[in-house]
Amino acid sequence: MNGDKATRGSDGRAPGRDFVREIVAADLASGKHGGRVATRFPPEPNGLLHIGHAKAICLDFGVAAENGGTCNLRFDDTNPETEEASYVEAIKRDIRWLGFEWSELRHASDYFEQLYDYGVLLIEKGSAYVDSLSEEEIRAHRGTVTEPGRPSPWRDRPVEESLDLFRRMRGGEFEDGAHVLRARIDMASPNMIMRDPVLFRIRRAHHYRTGSEWCIYPMYDFAHCLSDSIEGITHSLCTLEFVNNRAIYDWLLEEVEAPEPVPRQYEFARLNLEYTIVSKRKLLRLVQDGHVSGWDDPRMPTLSGLRRRGVTPAAIRNFCRLVGVAKADNRVDAAKLEYAIRDDLNMCVPRVMCVQRPLRVVITNFPEGETDWLDAPLYPHDVPLEGTRPVPFTRELYIERHDFMEEPPRRFFRLAPGREVRLRYGYFIRCEEVVKDEAGEVAELRCTYDPATRGGSAPDGRKVRGTIHWVSAEHGPPCEVRLYDRLFRTRDPDRGDYLAQLNPDSLVVHAGARVEPSIADDPPGTRYQFERVGYFISDEEDSRPGRLVYNRTVGLRDSWAKIRKQQMAQEAQKAKGRGKKRKKGRGRN
Ligand code: ATP
Ligand code: MG
């Protein structure tokens, strides 16, 4: 592994030096929050966590851990219609799986009473009022980016009247939408969010925690900053789309005279990843419409999907480190994630053999009914792990269908009529005869083996150019291999209708694959490298002894390393070009 590169962010700086960590370090040095660092990760339980959330989790929990601080898990549960207790449990599981533990478990709904009291306080101060316009009217009064908004006719309603209405809103006297509580700020503010934002609305909906106790619910902007303040958060980290919300965040804390030092909001770039989407709403649609088998479909960018696909938590954490934390939104190269996955798996998973599309091979000079047990290493020499497994060599074997060609083109070094190849860890075999079925398809190869080449080399020094993987037909159990690919055909499925950009080939199943017997009894969830093919995991839902199912985590080809190499070559070329121009320029002067 190219350690240094892998631990640096995309801006080339080592972790610990991104702008958030710099702010935190400066605040610690100046004693701004009394030397404390308290963060929170605030998911809304309306879906499962995805790879984008992993970035936020690594940052929120990471910054706290690095500075001896705390990080709360707070469910931002103020939209009862879309939130569910099952999502809460799944989110907790995913965070722990990723390797983090929260200091305290909180819910915005823990604070409904306090938030209501803050609403009352704002009305009493003249900083909020009950508005009786409809949702549409409020929108129409808001103005546009170029035109100021118009005040609601209820804006100057007497404090007493607003207090009475707010109390009765809570008491359930009004229909949904009849009234809202709004902040009284500035209907002409260039920041549209500051044009008297709605703080509370009436919603008769069952809340998964508070049931029907409440029929008014606070809005995000109101609940978030006050929850942060209640919990004593110091650095409230969120994504860039909240830049304009920072004004209301600060305004509210000041208006309610929140205890000093107040929390501060900082925004970082959202993670977007090529060939996928990171929006719970869109992911939910894929689940609901049956485009995937569920939130944990291995093609999903969710943490549960990545887990089922065989991705390790360490690979995701390393990926987040590679991506870094910056202030500009961009879409991360999909190959970067694949690189992080391979980089981690390479060092920890055993190598075994699996034939995905088997072609029968009969070794005509090997005795029927006999088994030659070969001893094969589980790890290559550059992995500091040891172990071997027994691999049976028998008269009938399977090789990969595409490792044989009847009329091989140039540079095809695998098996062909009259050719010799090495069976990995086994013997040299030569193809003597091709047997075809009625349709003219190759059905079987009749080969001979050279008993002197046991272990893979010939005593006479004769060389073969190809080494192929194989499985004993007699001993190798059948299995299903699921080859997962990118969920979308396009790099940026958020552009246009994402459903129209789904990749129809994102799942290819080889139902009649064969795997070597040494792994047949392994527990579900075991990871391997299938030699020459890729990294796989036995599926935790569907695989069991007697019905083996393997999910491809990632292929072997390291296109990221290749791209990086090309990029570096290009950069070097450019630098050379610049050097030449400069020299030329000097010459002319
Ligand atoms: P979605 O649009 O997927 O629902 P969200 O931002 O509404 O995303 P939340 O549950 O509110 O999801 O997010 C919890 C935290 O995770 C927030 O602080 C949010 O900023 C952060 N987050 C969400 N998506 C990303 C992303 N793609 N990259 C980085 N951080 C993210
Ligand atoms: Mg959200």
Side-chain angles (χ1 to χ4, degrees):
M1 134 169 181
N2 46 357
D4 199 31
K5 237 186 290 163
T7 52
R8 276 168 197 275
S10 53
D11 56 0
R13 290 187 296 184
R17 301 264 47 99
D18 61 64
F19 79 96
V20 171
R21 290 175 163 92
E22 264 164 24
I23 289 168
V24 170
D27 289 349
L28 278 175
S30 71
K32 182 166 170 186
H33 295 276
R36 279 187 329 116
V37 175
T39 62
R40 85 289 169 262
F41 173 65
E44 187 179 351
N46 60 353
L48 262 62
L49 300 181
H50 49 61
I51 184 89
H53 292 111
K55 174 176 175 177
I57 293 170
C58 289
L59 183 63
D60 290 324
F61 286 88
V63 162
E66 289 155 27
N67 294 289
T70 57
C71 179
N72 286 354
L73 169 59
R74 183 201 313 145
F75 287 99
D76 184 7
D77 51 359
T78 56
N79 292 308
E81 291 101 331
T82 52
E83 295 162 3
E84 287 176 24
S86 66
Y87 290 140
V88 168
E89 291 314 310
I91 288 172
K92 282 156 67 175
R93 178 184 168 191
D94 285 348
I95 295 172
R96 289 198 166 118
W97 175 75
L98 198 55
F100 298 98
E101 187 62 49
W102 44 92
S103 309
E104 283 182 48
L105 177 64
R106 300 293 187 100
H107 305 79
S109 55
D110 295 336
Y111 313 133
F112 280 171
E113 191 68 48
Q114 264 163 296
L115 294 173
Y116 174 80
D117 290 343
Y118 277 129
V120 171
L121 175 75
L122 289 178
I123 300 172
E124 284 170 347
K125 287 186 69 173
S127 302
Y129 59 98
V130 170
D131 194 356
S132 308
L133 292 182
S134 70
E135 209 180 313
E136 270 156 54
E137 287 167 327
I138 290 178
R139 204 173 308 128
H141 277 69
R142 248 182 117 214
T144 64
V145 189
T146 48
E147 291 163 49
R150 283 174 294 133
S152 160
W154 307 107
R155 198 171 197 260
D156 294 316
R157 177 172 250 165
V159 166
E160 284 312 316
E161 198 177 308
S162 278
L163 280 176
D164 177 56
L165 285 170
F166 190 44
R167 194 175 41 76
R168 289 163 60 198
M169 278 167 68
R170 176 186 181 165
E173 287 189 32
F174 308 114
E175 300 276 285
D176 285 17
H179 308 281
V180 291
L181 183 71
R182 293 180 74 175
R184 182 187 277 105
I185 310 180
D186 178 6
M187 287 308 291
S189 171
N191 180 353
M192 302 268 292
I193 290 176
M194 297 300 272
R195 295 182 187 173
D196 290 13
V198 173
L199 306 180
F200 268 95
R201 78 269 196 232
I202 305 172
R203 274 279 182 292
R204 270 186 192 68
H206 179 87
H207 188 283
Y208 76 97
R209 286 187 83 230
T210 58
S212 53
E213 192 186 335
W214 291 87
C215 63
I216 56 170
Y217 291 95
M219 301 298 285
Y220 170 87
D221 279 326
F222 186 68
H224 205 85
C225 56
L226 296 171
S227 302
D228 280 348
S229 168
I230 291 167
E231 291 176 24
I233 302 301
T234 57
H235 299 80
S236 182
L237 309 174
C238 65
T239 36
L240 276 177
E241 67 270 24
F242 292 100
V243 166
N244 289 336
N245 303 61
R246 198 194 319 141
I248 179 74
Y249 187 102
D250 292 340
W251 185 89
L252 279 164
L253 291 177
E254 197 177 326
E255 284 303 308
V256 304
E257 293 172 42
E260 293 286 341
V262 295
R264 289 290 172 212
Q265 174 182 306
Y266 301 96
E267 310 87 16
F268 61 94
R270 236 183 136 73
L271 175 78
N272 294 305
L273 190 59
E274 283 182 347
Y275 300 101
T276 195
I277 47 178
V278 281
S279 148
K280 278 181 283 179
R281 182 179 54 79
K282 290 181 182 173
L283 294 173
L284 176 64
R285 179 82 193 275
L286 295 180
V287 174
Q288 283 174 337
D289 292 2
H291 296 293
V292 294
S293 65
W295 282 98
D296 69 346
D297 185 301
R299 290 165 292 183
M300 291 281 269
T302 50
L303 296 186
S304 46
L306 291 164
R307 172 170 59 230
R308 191 162 170 197
R309 188 162 174 156
V311 176
T312 57
I316 296 176
R317 293 194 304 266
N318 289 340
F319 168 69
C320 292
R321 199 173 304 145
L322 261 174
V323 169
V325 178
K327 278 192 202 180
D329 270 325
N330 67 348
R331 196 163 276 271
V332 175
D333 195 328
K336 207 177 239 185
L337 176 59
E338 292 174 7
Y339 166 82
I341 297 169
R342 279 191 205 97
D343 199 49
D344 186 52
L345 293 177
N346 176 38
M347 298 312 278
C348 57
V349 303
R351 275 60 169 172
V352 294
M353 294 190 285
C354 171
V355 173
Q356 302 183 70
R357 293 177 59 232
L359 172 61
R360 181 180 291 271
V361 169
V362 179
I363 310 291
T364 53
N365 59 341
F366 191 86
E368 226 163 296
E370 259 183 44
T371 302
D372 179 5
W373 288 94
L374 303 160
D375 199 34
L378 285 168
Y379 303 96
H381 66 275
D382 57 338
V383 172
L385 291 168
E386 279 175 26
T388 61
R389 85 276 188 186
V391 176
F393 184 83
T394 50
R395 182 176 161 93
E396 291 196 9
L397 314 168
Y398 289 113
I399 65 165
E400 207 70 73
R401 203 157 261 283
H402 67 232
D403 280 338
F404 171 79
M405 281 186 96
E406 210 173 358
E407 288 164 29
R410 251 167 56 83
R411 302 186 63 76
F412 182 84
F413 299 126
R414 293 167 262 170
L415 202 57
R419 286 246 192 110
E420 201 173 35
V421 289
R422 176 189 295 110
L423 294 182
R424 185 88 165 127
Y425 309 119
Y427 295 93
F428 289 7
I429 61 166
R430 179 186 305 278
C431 176
E432 310 287 358
E433 191 190 339
V434 180
V435 181
K436 295 192 176 171
D437 62 15
E438 284 151 20
E441 289 281 321
V442 177
E444 183 181 299
L445 302 178
R446 298 184 74 78
C447 300
T448 51
Y449 86 117
D450 178 353
T453 57
R454 192 176 195 271
S457 58
D460 63 5
R462 158 173 121 254
K463 299 278 182 239
V464 289
R465 301 202 60 178
T467 299
I468 63 175
H469 59 276
W470 56 282
V471 166
S472 158
E474 197 181 310
H475 296 272
C479 65
E480 180 177 313
V481 168
R482 298 174 180 171
L483 302 179
Y484 293 103
D485 204 343
R486 290 166 176 167
L487 188 50
F488 291 92
R489 284 183 284 112
T490 51
R491 258 178 227 275
D492 183 359
D494 285 312
R495 200 176 290 169
D497 174 12
Y498 65 102
L499 292 176
Q501 300 170 62
L502 282 162
N503 174 10
D505 303 317
S506 59
L507 172 58
V508 172
V509 177
H510 292 309
R514 294 286 192 129
V515 75
E516 60 172 74
S518 68
I519 67 169
D521 296 322
D522 286 353
T526 309
R527 297 184 179 86
Y528 312 93
Q529 183 191 106
F530 288 165
E531 291 204 48
R532 300 179 63 228
V533 181
Y535 292 98
F536 287 78
I537 185 168
S538 51
D539 188 72
E540 296 217 50
E541 293 294 317
D542 301 337
S543 192
R544 54 186 171 275
R547 166 151 167 54
L548 302 170
V549 179
Y550 298 97
N551 301 334
R552 180 171 68 190
T553 312
V554 66
L556 282 186
R557 197 170 52 101
D558 192 344
S559 55
W560 166 247
K562 219 161 107 191
I563 291 167
R564 211 31 223 141
K565 230 169 151 181
Q566 279 170 359
Q567 285 170 346
M568 277 167 16
Q570 275 169 6
E571 280 161 22
Q573 201 68 35
K574 263 191 210 156
K576 238 167 126 184
R578 274 199 298 274
K580 266 188 198 157
K581 261 185 211 155
R582 229 178 286 133
K583 263 187 212 157
K584 262 194 201 161
R586 267 204 300 272
R588 250 183 263 128
N589 282 340

